[in-house]
Amino acid sequence: MTTIQIKDKKFSLSIPEAEILKAVREVGEAINRDLAHKNPLFICVLNGAFMFAGDLMKTVSVPCEITFIKLSSYDGLYTTGSVKEIIGLNESVVGRTVVVVEDIVDTGLTMERILDSLHAKGANEIRIATFLQKPDALQRDITVDYVAMKIPNDFIVGYGLDYDGYGRNLKDIYTVVPE
Ligand code: IMP
Ligand code: MG
């Protein structure tokens, strides 16, 4: 089994790159079918979604725009419960179809905050595309339109997701090894 060390934690390989890329392609193909005539604005949530968004957009072939926002809710391994301000959305979303591109929907608090903000800004239709979802952790009534992979409620790193800032560059997903 491949294991790696990041800071004080050990992680073991759980989802290899090929499996990730196949699942991401399927999301892109579904979006192509659903949003062909909607001129969607993709909103990539930094930092975690950068790798997912990069691969996803290689499959998306409908006319579209992509922009980036930033916020954060995590402090190390545990959610802090408070979500910071959204920064960087300069485009108007009034009347538009937007697709929020996230790395993971965990409790759903972050996504709820983003949805509230986009509704307030006048978006017409909001879809959610997430690389990962932890269905057992969901605390909010949120419907995720596109999920590449569903995973158990364990802490993971890789493919954009970090542990205290490290591990985002890993091309595979690794799961924390309990001590
Ligand atoms: P939520 O607000 O609880 O849904 O958390 C969403 C954010 O928490 C994600 O965008 C990630 O940045 C972070 N997050 C949740 N679970 C993990 C994990 O297992 N590893 C790394 N980051 C995570
Ligand atoms: Mg994130």
Side-chain angles (χ1 to χ4, degrees):
M1 198 204 304
T2 309
T3 63
I4 57 167
Q5 178 92 27
I6 300 179
K7 295 194 162 182
D8 58 332
K9 304 254 175 259
K10 282 192 169 54
F11 294 84
S12 63
L13 180 64
S14 57
I15 312 175
E17 182 185 24
E19 228 176 282
I20 292 170
L21 293 178
K22 181 170 177 283
V24 171
R25 250 194 320 272
E26 283 165 8
V27 169
E29 285 159 5
I31 287 173
N32 287 339
R33 286 193 294 274
D34 294 349
L35 302 182
H37 304 291
K38 300 224 169 186
N39 185 33
L41 172 65
F42 289 86
I43 301 178
C44 169
V45 184
L46 296 173
N47 295 329
F50 82 97
M51 216 177 261
F52 172 50
D55 285 329
L56 178 68
M57 298 314 291
K58 293 179 203 169
T59 297
V60 169
S61 57
V62 302
C64 64
E65 293 178 90
I66 181 160
T67 190
F68 302 85
I69 60 171
K70 190 159 182 174
L71 39 72
S72 78
S73 70
Y74 255 68
D75 184 14
L77 283 181
Y78 303 102
T79 182
T80 60
S82 67
V83 179
K84 290 183 201 155
E85 280 303 302
I86 294 174
I87 34 177
L89 183 63
N90 302 316
E91 291 76 5
S92 169
V93 296
V94 175
R96 286 199 75 166
T97 295
V98 301
V99 183
V100 181
V101 181
E102 252 290 29
D103 53 359
I104 184 166
V105 175
D106 183 21
T107 62
L109 276 162
T110 308
M111 191 53 77
E112 183 180 63
R113 179 63 203 276
I114 295 169
L115 295 179
D116 287 350
S117 170
L118 291 174
H119 278 300
K121 289 177 194 296
N124 173 45
E125 182 187 5
I126 304 171
R127 301 217 178 189
I128 300 170
T130 188
F131 168 50
L132 298 173
Q133 184 175 11
K134 291 178 178 171
D136 295 343
L138 195 63
Q139 295 173 14
R140 290 293 187 274
D141 185 17
I142 284 171
T143 308
V144 182
D145 303 274
Y146 307 101
V147 184
M149 311 186 112
K150 293 186 178 171
I151 59 167
N153 203 0
D154 301 314
F155 192 82
I156 54 93
V157 293
Y159 200 70
L161 291 109
D162 70 303
Y163 169 49
D164 271 353
Y166 287 83
R168 293 192 195 279
N169 53 312
L170 297 163
K171 64 187 188 327
D172 313 289
I173 291 286
Y174 292 78
T175 302
V176 73
V177 178
E179 275 146 40

